[in-house]
Amino acid sequence: MNIKQISIFLENKPGALYAMTGVLARNEVDLRALSVAETSDFGIARLIVDDTDRASAVLREAGYVHNITPVLGVAIPDVPGGLNKVLQVLTDAQVNVEYMYAFLGGKDVEHAYMIFRVADNGKAAAALAERDIKTVDQEEMDNL
Amino acid sequence: MERYYQPEIERASQEQIRAWQDERLVNQVKNVWDHVPYYRKKMEEKGLTPADIKGVDDLHKLPFVTKADLREAYPYGLMARPVKDCVRIQSTSGTTGKRVVAFYTQHDIDLWEDCCARAIVAAGGTDEDVCQVSYGYGLFTGGPGLNGGSHKVGCLTIPTSSGNTERQIMFIQDLNATILCCTPSYAAYIGETMKEMGLTPDQIPLKAGIFGAEAWSEEMRRDIQNTLGIKAYDIYGLTELSGPGVAFECSAQSGMHINEDHFIAEIIDPDTGEVLPEGSQGELVFTAITKEAFPLLRYRTRDICVLSREKCPCGRTHVRMAKPRGRTDDMLIIRGVNVFPSQIETVLLNAGYPANYQMIVDRVRNTDTLDVQVEMTPEMFTDNMGEISRRQKELVDGLRAMLGLAAKVTLVAPKSIVRSEGKAVRVIDRRKI
């Protein structure tokens, strides 16, 4: 039920993000979700892609420091209060959300998909399942 | 079992060493008086004649030679033999100003190579070894010195010189090189590259390394030893005195034995010039007592260190010098605090970062700033911003504890700091004073 996320170390300077997306573009890696966190001198780009292993290989080749971490993909009913309900469940289960970001548009118009980085994926997924909130696995995500 | 290149010299009694020094110093002072008008004038200004120097006890009476003298006397002013007797020059990298040119007779080269041979044997080298010399050849003394020493020991010598790291590694692997000689920063780079190629220490034939020509820390030694699976030995020298091999480490890896049959070492107070008692920290001063063409008396090295006469387990009797904290030239004064690059290296390596760093010193609104740029590594990276910032703060705290100074730490992309194949460029000082 986990999705693989690639996190990449970038310097916070003009062209750094562009150089990295250029590596992915030249190797025809498709981005499914992206978020960037930054400080004044460095940033971390977090990506969900169609082919994690290939993306990792081409990034390594290009000299990028990066790692792969499991994250949760959550299908949130696209109605007012949808995200709030998910956070309520996680709060009740005392799961801390380290960060989260939205998935780039899929074919499913009923749901908004979001990526959650939490301390305990298993605990979060179980709590969500109990309240009928769907998490997506890598394969489902690839088909979105 | 400890082996020696010249056991009768390297294990000589303190009395014997002193007798050699007394005799050779007296002769050298006469030689310089007769052949170097520049130095004779300096002696006359102090009211000295060769008759005043009867042995090492009188050494303190002689005037110092400094880098400024070398500049003033450039190029031939300190030469003590005619050109027809000299066979070679070597020159400094010129990192701290004007180049120094040093002259050698065949006898000088021979003794210099003996000193390097002592270092190679102390690192375990024999005629069975394959010794790769990855110091630069040419004007720089590193390549020619170790090359000559390696020949004397009878090692199969690979004169790769510096650069072309892939080729360096190819020769190490294909020819089963067992000893590597280069700068410590280049050794670290070769190690880093081999690690990236997936080579583990047990797949690397090297067993020892002789690394010098720049200051390096114990932490960097540990790092290089682990990556390459070797014992890493320090070697010390200056072009002004011959080149590498003025002092070298033995199996104890605890200080470098100064070749006292060729060089008399003193420790002085760098401010007053007073000779300090044994065991004090101060500036290292050398007198070359066997050199013919370019014999410097009381040459101020600007290296800060301590000498020890404590008995060494290796059996060598020559005095040991501690790793210099750095040349006073390398020392930066930032907000009034003395900072040596080697201190920063220690903090980084202790915190698990590589020794690839650069110090950017600047002056903003009349206040000095220090920005230490450190490369991010796969080991130190996580997707968690807070965790990275926490580690960054640990470095800031570590630097403050080590230097007594607030420094900024900037994490930069891997390989963004230029790798050095010779002496590393650690400091960029942008202050306009």
Side-chain angles (χ1 to χ4, degrees):
Chain A
M1 81 215 147
N2 291 334
I3 293 176
K4 287 179 191 162
Q5 168 188 271
I6 302 187
S7 306
I8 304 154
F9 177 84
L10 295 174
E11 290 185 17
N12 190 355
K13 64 180 186 192
L17 189 59
Y18 169 69
M20 186 275 290
T21 56
V23 171
L24 298 178
R26 279 192 295 284
N27 290 280
E28 298 186 347
V29 173
D30 194 15
L31 292 179
R32 313 307 307 274
L34 163 74
S35 99
V36 177
E38 86 291 334
T39 69
S40 61
D41 52 75
F42 73 93
I44 301 174
R46 298 159 180 146
L47 315 177
I48 309 290
V49 298
D50 60 342
D51 186 340
T52 310
D53 293 339
R54 195 156 54 85
S56 175
V58 299
L59 286 167
R60 187 176 308 113
E61 180 76 12
Y64 284 94
V65 167
H66 64 282
N67 71 5
I68 297 174
T69 36
V71 290
L72 278 185
V74 183
I76 303 171
D78 195 2
V79 293
L83 173 63
N84 186 253
K85 189 181 165 199
V86 172
L87 292 175
Q88 169 83 61
V89 173
L90 296 177
T91 303
D92 290 347
Q94 295 200 309
V95 173
N96 186 47
V97 178
E98 288 179 15
Y99 55 84
M100 52 186 269
Y101 53 99
F103 210 77
L104 305 177
K107 286 166 238 158
D108 178 358
V109 293
E110 308 272 293
H111 292 88
Y113 289 84
M114 290 202 72
I115 304 297
F116 284 79
R117 173 76 159 109
V118 296
D120 186 339
N121 282 338
K123 190 174 165 189
L128 291 168
E130 228 171 76
R131 307 281 273 274
D132 292 327
I133 297 169
K134 202 163 126 311
T135 53
V136 287
D137 60 21
Q138 193 80 35
E139 198 181 329
E140 287 173 272
M141 194 242 2
D142 289 344
N143 294 325
L144 281 173
Chain B
M1 214 200 56
E2 190 78 25
R3 296 177 60 263
Y4 313 91
Y5 179 65
Q6 293 168 308
E8 70 291 351
I9 297 171
E10 295 177 64
R11 310 185 60 175
S13 68
Q14 297 280 337
E15 296 71 34
Q16 175 64 70
I17 293 171
R18 183 59 182 250
W20 283 327
Q21 290 188 336
D22 283 335
E23 186 196 339
R24 291 170 186 180
L25 174 65
V26 168
N27 292 337
Q28 188 69 292
V29 170
K30 276 198 204 98
N31 172 36
V32 170
W33 174 270
D34 290 342
H35 298 111
V36 186
Y38 184 94
Y39 200 79
R40 179 177 184 148
K41 188 164 155 266
K42 284 185 76 126
M43 281 178 67
E44 283 170 346
E45 279 165 11
K46 289 196 111 184
L48 291 170
T49 68
D52 294 313
I53 309 302
K54 296 186 183 71
V56 177
D57 284 339
D58 298 322
L59 183 61
H60 70 275
K61 297 176 183 167
L62 288 169
F64 291 115
V65 174
T66 65
K67 199 121 184 170
D69 290 309
L70 299 187
R71 263 195 286 269
E72 205 179 317
Y74 176 90
Y76 284 120
L78 289 164
M79 200 169 163
R81 285 284 182 280
V83 167
K84 80 171 176 58
D85 292 348
C86 297
V87 297
R88 169 105 59 89
I89 75 143
Q90 300 286 164
S91 179
T92 60
S93 47
T95 41
T96 57
K98 191 162 182 163
R99 281 178 177 274
V100 168
V101 172
F103 306 93
Y104 303 73
T105 62
Q106 187 54 50
H107 163 88
D108 292 336
I109 288 180
D110 208 39
L111 296 186
W112 174 28
E113 291 178 351
D114 280 345
C115 289
C116 291
R118 289 180 195 173
I120 292 170
V121 173
T126 70
D127 55 8
E128 303 277 340
D129 279 295
V130 177
C131 178
Q132 183 154 321
V133 182
S134 310
Y135 279 113
Y137 279 63
L139 288 170
F140 178 50
T141 53
L146 269 306
N147 187 85
S150 176
H151 279 215
K152 287 216 167 192
V153 176
C155 301
L156 174 59
T157 309
I158 314 178
T160 46
S161 191
S162 62
N164 197 341
T165 307
E166 274 174 31
R167 192 180 62 191
Q168 300 280 359
I169 294 169
M170 184 198 83
F171 277 124
I172 291 171
Q173 295 299 95
D174 292 357
L175 299 177
N176 284 320
T178 47
I179 300 175
L180 176 67
C181 307
C182 59
T183 59
S185 53
Y186 196 41
Y189 180 45
I190 291 174
E192 182 188 30
T193 309
M194 289 178 113
K195 195 173 168 186
E196 276 170 16
M197 291 166 69
L199 293 167
T200 54
D202 57 310
Q203 293 169 312
I204 301 172
L206 293 171
K207 63 176 191 189
I210 300 172
F211 308 129
E214 58 187 16
W216 51 309
S217 61
E218 280 304 322
E219 290 72 19
M220 186 153 175
R221 186 212 299 270
R222 208 168 56 211
D223 210 47
I224 293 172
Q225 292 193 147
N226 290 341
T227 316
L228 290 173
I230 60 171
K231 260 188 108 166
Y233 299 86
D234 204 353
I235 185 165
Y236 174 89
L238 293 92
T239 308
E240 295 89 322
L241 296 168
S242 60
V246 171
F248 61 92
E249 252 178 6
C250 61
S251 56
Q253 290 182 313
S254 168
M256 292 175 274
H257 292 281
I258 294 170
N259 286 312
E260 289 189 282
D261 51 328
H262 299 304
F263 304 101
I264 304 175
E266 298 169 278
I267 292 285
I268 63 158
D269 179 324
D271 297 323
T272 65
E274 288 299 309
V275 177
L276 297 174
E278 215 156 271
S280 313
Q281 176 170 283
E283 181 181 343
L284 192 52
V285 171
F286 280 110
T287 298
I289 47 176
T290 51
K291 287 182 67 188
E292 295 179 341
F294 199 65
L296 298 187
L297 303 184
R298 301 198 85 200
Y299 180 64
R300 293 186 60 161
T301 63
R302 305 169 317 287
D303 280 328
I304 302 295
C305 84
V306 181
L307 300 183
S308 165
R309 288 242 167 241
E310 210 177 300
K311 197 164 179 284
C312 185
C314 81
R316 287 178 185 79
T317 48
H318 294 227
V319 71
R320 275 178 291 167
M321 58 180 274
K323 252 182 196 307
R325 270 176 67 201
R327 208 150 276 186
T328 45
D329 301 5
D330 298 335
M331 188 185 82
L332 290 157
I333 300 179
I334 301 173
R335 271 175 260 153
V337 178
N338 295 353
V339 175
F340 286 95
S342 58
Q343 294 175 298
I344 285 161
E345 186 179 296
T346 298
V347 173
L348 292 182
L349 288 163
N350 273 338
Y353 287 89
N356 298 313
Y357 65 94
Q358 211 151 39
M359 303 161 61
I360 316 278
V361 188
D362 208 340
R363 182 162 288 185
V364 181
R365 287 189 292 278
N366 292 319
T367 302
D368 294 341
T369 59
L370 171 60
D371 180 6
V372 179
Q373 303 208 325
V374 189
E375 287 183 2
M376 179 51 91
T377 65
E379 292 76 23
M380 301 310 283
F381 181 66
T382 129
D383 65 309
N384 186 326
M385 202 76 171
E387 180 62 19
I388 294 179
S389 295
R390 192 185 61 74
R391 289 178 193 169
Q392 198 176 9
K393 187 173 174 301
E394 267 177 16
L395 276 188
V396 171
D397 293 345
L399 288 170
R400 186 181 294 116
M402 172 67 85
L403 309 173
L405 187 76
K408 181 175 185 274
V409 170
T410 303
L411 298 170
V412 298
K415 300 278 161 86
S416 59
I417 295 173
V418 179
R419 296 298 189 276
S420 152
E421 292 166 348
K423 297 196 187 201
V425 178
R426 297 298 189 203
V427 180
I428 297 174
D429 197 336
R430 295 188 180 137
R431 289 176 292 187
K432 292 181 186 69
I433 302 167

